[in-house]
Amino acid sequence: MMQKIVIEGSHRLEGSVTVSGAKNAALPILVSALLTEGWNTFDNVPDLRDIRTIKKLLTDLGAKVDTSGSVVKIDASGLNSHEAPYDLVRTMRASVLVLGPLLARLGRARVSLPGGCAIGARPINLHLKGLEELGALISLKEGYIEAEAPSLKGAEIYFDISTVTGTENLMMAAVLAEGHTILRNAAREPEVVALAEVLNRMGARITGAGTPVIKITGVEALNPTSSTIIPDRIETGTFMIAAGVTRGNIKIQGCVPNHLQAIINKLRQAGITVEQEADGLRVTGAETILSTDVKTLPYPGFPTDMQAQFMVLMCLANGLSVISETIFENRFIHVSEIQRMGADITVSGTSAVVRGGQRLTGAPVMATDLRASASLILAGLAAEGTTEVSRVYHIDRGYESIEKKLAQLGGHLWRVPE
Ligand code: EPZ
């Protein structure tokens, strides 16, 4: 059933909220269970549509998956398929993360080639090039990547572009390859570090995760493990902006401030107060929001996954700001929806010029992708009047009960059938 979120705006947020486990850490970590035989236990796994998709894929591959609340147990000893079908890959591109582990465990993989995506072309050429360098033979047949490698051999791999899931895929292939692998210009995102930590607990030998050079010494086999998923830094950042746009005062519990340095810095430049307290971050909005430019970059730069949300804050700021998107070529799809609420934004190529100080007014708007939907909810919280965000299945891919968490902070919003 299609649902929409109805928001009655202009209510100040107050109180405290706890962040969930990170979607983009949980996805590769659940997949890493494919590298072992026996039960792995993962805690703090968020209940999201993308997580259900990856569990479905793992089950289809022959793994046993057992969920109880936020605890997910996976046993891949029965792994008996090497195929990720089109139907799953097209609903979630991160399904390509099974490529590396399947090659490492079974010596072959058949994975639907993901098509384009609302936010950009998003090729996976660098995943494939790296796997070839580890010795895989790769061809494209009927829309599927067919990869084969009787054995993988360590290699020196250089990524032309920093790629998060590319780095994760290659790490998962190299842990069981023979000899040494070096990944250069590797992604440094906290989710990459979290995956490396889990793999090391399984017995892998990885050093340097979190730096641009990751070194891996292959081992014969890995053992099941237990671990806890790190808190979601993008969910945290989204709540921080919610406090900013409603001039609220909220406490965000369970986050890792160190993963949020770029966001915290930008919010402070915008005049928002962010204080570190014993159990989390306190964020206090400012009457006058200061306009500030922002450019998305790979970690530790400002995350592309926070660009749409930050733009809403800049719509309310006291002047002009330039928002540059350097990661995805089409990630301004939220702009025309926010414009319907009264925002003054001009997009030119990869930059958006936001003229702050306009009043946002409620309107019916449509979600187009995960982070765009989050920005529309934020705009609705800030606007005068009622906003209806339709197609909320996008938001359910990556935010756990967002309307309940925001309502708990005093936001007036609820979910209704469309
Ligand atoms: C991850 O996507 C995240 N997804 C994205 O989260 C996030 O926006 C993105 O990293 C950037 O931070 C997961 O972790 C599951 P990339 P990923 O490969 O790995 C180009 C969300 O909302 N590239 O780091 O697919 C690519 O086109 C999402 O939660 C190649 O050219 O992103 C892009 O311009 C959406 N060739 C840049 O690299 C390749 O082979 C970075 O993309 C791979 C990537």
Side-chain angles (χ1 to χ4, degrees), residues 23-24 27-28 93-94 97 119 121-127 161-166 168 189 233 304-305 326-329 331 369-371:
K23 167 182 79 92
N24 289 347
L27 290 170
R93 305 173 55 84
L97 282 166
I119 61 176
R122 303 184 72 186
I124 59 160
N125 58 312
L126 301 174
H127 301 226
I161 302 175
S162 164
T163 160
V164 177
T165 49
E168 293 165 348
E189 270 68 4
R233 63 195 167 98
T304 173
D305 288 348
T326 77
I327 308 294
F328 294 115
E329 65 274 17
R331 213 173 196 182
D369 84 302
L370 172 56
R371 308 303 169 186

Side-chain angles (χ1 to χ4, degrees), residues 30-232:
L30 296 184
V31 167
S32 73
L34 291 177
L35 293 164
T36 66
E37 292 190 28
W39 285 100
N40 291 275
T41 306
F42 304 111
D43 195 2
N44 200 34
V45 179
D47 181 18
L48 302 169
R49 206 156 64 92
D50 277 7
I51 297 296
R52 289 192 281 274
T53 305
I54 206 78
K55 289 195 280 195
K56 164 102 177 54
L57 176 53
L58 295 174
T59 309
D60 285 0
L61 292 171
K64 283 187 265 182
V65 179
D66 183 73
T67 303
S68 155
S70 66
V71 179
V72 177
K73 294 186 179 180
I74 304 175
D75 175 1
S77 36
L79 184 64
N80 58 14
S81 162
H82 64 284
E83 179 169 317
Y86 177 64
D87 275 346
L88 285 177
V89 180
R90 86 191 153 104
T91 55
M92 189 184 67
R93 305 173 55 84
S95 306
V96 301
L97 282 166
V98 300
L99 198 49
L102 286 178
L103 265 178
R105 264 288 301 281
L106 300 174
R108 57 183 188 153
R110 184 168 188 268
V111 174
S112 172
L113 184 67
C117 161
I119 61 176
R122 303 184 72 186
I124 59 160
N125 58 312
L126 301 174
H127 301 226
L128 302 182
K129 174 178 161 281
L131 292 170
E132 280 176 336
E133 282 163 342
L134 291 181
L137 285 175
I138 295 181
S139 58
L140 184 70
K141 286 199 192 98
E142 294 160 353
Y144 278 75
I145 301 149
E146 300 207 346
E148 243 176 90
S151 66
L152 293 172
K153 289 211 171 52
E156 288 218 15
I157 293 161
Y158 169 76
F159 291 105
D160 291 333
I161 302 175
S162 164
T163 160
V164 177
T165 49
T167 302
E168 293 165 348
N169 228 337
L170 266 294
M171 264 189 341
M172 289 193 280
V175 284
L176 291 178
E178 192 190 315
H180 300 280
T181 295
I182 303 181
L183 306 179
R184 296 192 192 278
N185 196 27
R188 288 177 280 169
E189 270 68 4
E191 294 75 21
V192 170
V193 178
L195 173 64
E197 280 168 6
V198 171
L199 293 169
N200 281 342
R201 291 166 84 99
M202 291 174 168
R205 293 174 59 195
I206 304 172
T207 58
T211 78
V213 183
I214 299 180
K215 296 188 177 168
I216 302 160
T217 303
V219 297
E220 281 287 317
L222 296 179
N223 304 307
T225 187
S226 326
S227 59
T228 301
I229 304 299
I230 59 169
D232 198 310

